[in-house]
Amino acid sequence: MQSSLASPQKIRRAYLVIALGCGVFILLTSIAMLTYTGGSVENHADKGYSFTRNFLSNLGMITSVSGNPNWISAVLFFISLAAAGACLVVFFILFPRFFQATRFEKVLSLIGSILGVLAGISFIGIAFAPADIARPAHVQFVMWAFRLFPLAVLCYVPVMFVDKQYPKLYAWVFAVFCLLLIGYYLLITNGPDFTSKQGLVIQAVGQKIIAYASIISIFIQSLGAYLYIEKRY
């Protein structure tokens, strides 16, 4: 998974773009929440977007749960999630170059990046499959994204701890994030059903926590790589 970009400065700029892309996701999804045209699983007549009763996927629906057109929110969600998925793909293509000191690092980082690229593609797939018009595909992309992403991060955690040069702070960031990802996968597969009031709140809030934790984690890792290249070269 080695990048064709030869210049460290070009790689450094690529990491900066990834970090900025993470910021764009947070900004655009926040605006999309403000433009969502209403309705939740619990109450189709709800006005606007509820942090505790709506899922992020509601933002990408062409027609909101209330039955109203939802084009502005849907476009913003599409751009934000497609961009985040693309950033994830680029991140995992570039990241293995830091871990080439031993065969263990090379092999495990390669496996991690293959899984990470597939996770990024899955997130792009979520953007292209709105929940109201392509629900089966949407659900499958969500499930695969959160199967592959924890495995990708799990591959990198030991690599980052073993490598003698890369700052251990970022290994700890990925370690904590990996636990969150595993916890969220258990939540969506074994947690309370969202058809109950309590289950809806748990699932909706849990989804937002892991979504923004994912973005913040990749933001930190990208910024860390940006600073590491600056220091190293």
Side-chain angles (χ1 to χ4, degrees):
M1 302 292 294
Q2 293 298 310
S3 169
S4 61
L5 297 174
S7 167
Q9 292 308 313
K10 288 183 178 179
I11 299 293
R12 188 165 171 257
R13 284 196 292 271
Y15 279 115
L16 182 59
V17 170
I18 294 169
L20 291 173
C22 293
V24 167
F25 176 86
I26 294 173
L27 175 63
L28 293 186
T29 53
S30 298
I31 297 173
M33 290 178 188
L34 297 175
T35 60
Y36 178 70
T37 56
S40 67
V41 173
E42 184 182 28
N43 184 0
H44 290 195
D46 276 347
K47 301 295 183 183
Y49 188 87
S50 169
F51 191 87
T52 58
R53 295 192 300 276
N54 283 106
F55 292 95
L56 287 174
S57 296
N58 293 144
L59 299 175
M61 296 170 67
I62 306 302
T63 303
S64 69
V65 180
S66 67
N68 295 316
N70 192 49
W71 284 101
I72 296 176
S73 174
V75 169
L76 291 172
F77 182 75
F78 172 83
I79 294 171
S80 64
L81 192 55
C87 285
L88 201 61
V89 169
V90 175
F91 174 84
F92 278 112
I93 289 174
L94 296 177
F95 206 45
R97 67 171 45 240
F98 295 125
F99 309 106
Q100 300 295 305
T102 65
R103 182 175 177 81
F104 172 81
E105 290 184 30
K106 289 179 181 179
V107 171
L108 207 55
S109 64
L110 175 62
I111 295 171
S113 278
I114 291 172
L115 294 169
V117 166
L118 292 174
I121 292 171
S122 297
F123 281 113
I124 295 172
I126 297 170
F128 276 91
D132 57 329
I133 62 175
R135 184 170 181 78
H138 181 88
V139 171
Q140 285 301 311
F141 279 125
V142 169
M143 294 303 295
W144 278 108
F146 286 104
R147 286 170 182 153
L148 295 166
F149 204 2
L151 292 174
V153 175
L154 189 60
C155 286
Y156 267 102
V157 169
V159 169
M160 295 173 75
F161 274 115
V162 167
D163 188 84
K164 295 179 179 180
Q165 293 186 316
Y166 208 78
K168 296 297 179 285
L169 169 64
Y170 303 106
W172 282 110
V173 170
F174 252 0
V176 173
F177 177 51
C178 185
L179 292 176
L180 288 175
L181 282 169
I182 293 171
Y184 181 67
Y185 182 71
L186 293 175
L187 176 65
I188 61 176
T189 55
N190 298 292
D193 195 283
F194 66 82
T195 54
S196 69
K197 186 174 182 178
Q198 184 179 20
L200 176 61
V201 172
I202 292 172
Q203 292 288 351
V205 174
Q207 184 200 51
K208 293 178 186 68
I209 290 172
I210 197 63
Y212 289 112
S214 300
I215 291 298
I216 291 170
S217 173
I218 297 302
F219 171 82
I220 293 172
Q221 296 295 349
S222 299
L223 188 60
Y226 175 85
L227 296 173
Y228 181 65
I229 293 172
E230 181 182 34
K231 181 179 179 181
R232 188 174 179 181
Y233 296 98

